[in-house]
Amino acid sequence: MWLDLDVLGPNHKSGLNYPPTYDDARALIAGFPVKPSCIVESGGGYQPWWLFAEPVEAKEIEPLLTKWGDTWDQLAKRRGWEIDNTAKVERIMRLPGTTNRKPGCNKMARVIEATWERYSPSHFEPHLLGPAKPTAVERRAPRPPQDGERAGGAHN
């Protein structure tokens, strides 16, 4: 299980209202009852990882990942923030030792905290929230493609 928790800064152009500081992002992570196995500083925020003790098939984990993404969306919204929902099997987080070269950033990703605790899916299920019901205000219309961007690029 993982989370991509960006912090407001020049290398994030999405227009989302990310946590304003690294301390705010850490407080959001610390508020979840299951502590991460490790936290990677990605150069633009944090990527906490919760490692499994045993491999889990992608098709088996997808329903849990959907609830996981919904849960973190709601936890962030309670603080007035937004986060990127990266809870998809095909996502790969920034690996420690690689360099984040987004505009406004040139930092190496690194593990800043680790217990290397291992979990099973059952550790998370009691703490997951169902999907929030969006209000008219929360719904965002898709933006048109930007210069050089393919249709659907804004969504992806």
Side-chain angles (χ1 to χ4, degrees), residues 91-140:
R91 290 295 300 232
I92 297 176
M93 297 290 94
R94 193 168 302 282
L95 296 174
T98 62
T99 301
N100 183 339
R101 297 192 191 278
K102 287 182 181 176
C105 182
N106 190 22
K107 294 183 181 176
M108 183 177 293
R110 62 191 181 102
V111 175
I112 59 163
E113 183 179 310
T115 64
W116 304 116
E117 182 78 23
R118 302 297 173 127
Y119 300 103
S120 71
S122 64
H123 283 99
F124 301 96
E125 290 165 352
H127 309 291
L128 300 180
L129 307 172
K133 294 182 178 141
T135 65
V137 175
E138 291 173 334
R139 291 185 197 130
R140 284 191 267 175

Side-chain angles (χ1 to χ4, degrees), residues 32-100:
F32 193 73
V34 182
K35 301 304 174 209
S37 304
C38 70
I39 300 175
V40 175
E41 184 178 2
S42 65
Y46 294 123
Q47 294 178 349
W49 301 352
W50 290 260
L51 304 176
F52 286 156
E54 300 291 330
V56 179
E57 292 291 326
K59 65 183 175 199
E60 293 174 28
I61 201 70
E62 283 178 4
L64 184 66
L65 285 175
T66 299
K67 288 181 186 176
W68 179 255
D70 291 342
T71 297
W72 284 100
D73 284 342
Q74 290 182 55
L75 294 174
K77 281 182 180 157
R78 289 178 184 171
R79 296 173 183 242
W81 305 326
E82 297 171 279
I83 60 173
D84 294 323
N85 189 337
T86 59
K88 296 178 178 33
V89 171
E90 67 274 6
R91 290 295 300 232
I92 297 176
M93 297 290 94
R94 193 168 302 282
L95 296 174
T98 62
T99 301
N100 183 339

